[in-house]
Amino acid sequence: FLVVYAVLSALALVFPLACLMLTIAARFEVELCQQDVMGDLQKHLLKALQKDQLENSFFNGLSEAIPHRSQSQRSLVRGRSAPLPGSREIG
């Protein structure tokens, strides 16, 4: 009976230690994966922002060549756009 008791008490000490070690290893792996994903996300965001800046500079160049509309003309065009989904149309 004493041998069984000794084995069970040893396992009671070993399993929590093994669980802690596995938890630390899993946390380390998750951290590495997260760094990879965030690095990829940062690259994609930088490319998108650079593309957006190029498009803005292109459209700003075009807007200088096209005559500007007055504020009332802009609001008329905006007023003709489709209503938001779920909103009730008045009139």
Side-chain angles (χ1 to χ4, degrees):
F1 179 72
L2 193 56
V3 174
V4 174
Y5 180 75
V7 169
L8 288 177
S9 11
L11 290 178
L13 292 174
V14 170
F15 282 134
L17 179 64
C19 183
L20 246 155
M21 291 172 62
L22 285 174
T23 303
I24 291 171
R27 182 178 177 191
F28 184 71
E29 288 295 323
V30 167
E31 189 174 327
L32 289 177
C33 289
Q34 183 186 14
Q35 286 176 353
D36 289 343
V37 169
M38 294 306 285
D40 289 342
L41 181 63
Q42 186 177 14
K43 287 178 189 176
H44 288 295
L45 286 174
L46 286 174
K47 285 182 183 179
L49 288 174
Q50 289 172 351
K51 182 180 176 183
D52 191 39
Q53 286 177 349
L54 289 174
E55 287 176 355
N56 282 342
S57 63
F58 175 74
F59 287 123
N60 285 340
L62 281 180
S63 66
E64 292 172 1
I66 299 173
H68 294 290
R69 293 189 233 180
S70 69
Q71 183 65 28
S72 62
Q73 289 173 333
R74 284 189 208 144
S75 65
L76 286 176
V77 171
R78 193 174 277 275
R80 290 186 199 133
S81 64
L84 291 174
S87 63
R88 288 186 264 166
E89 192 171 319
I90 299 173

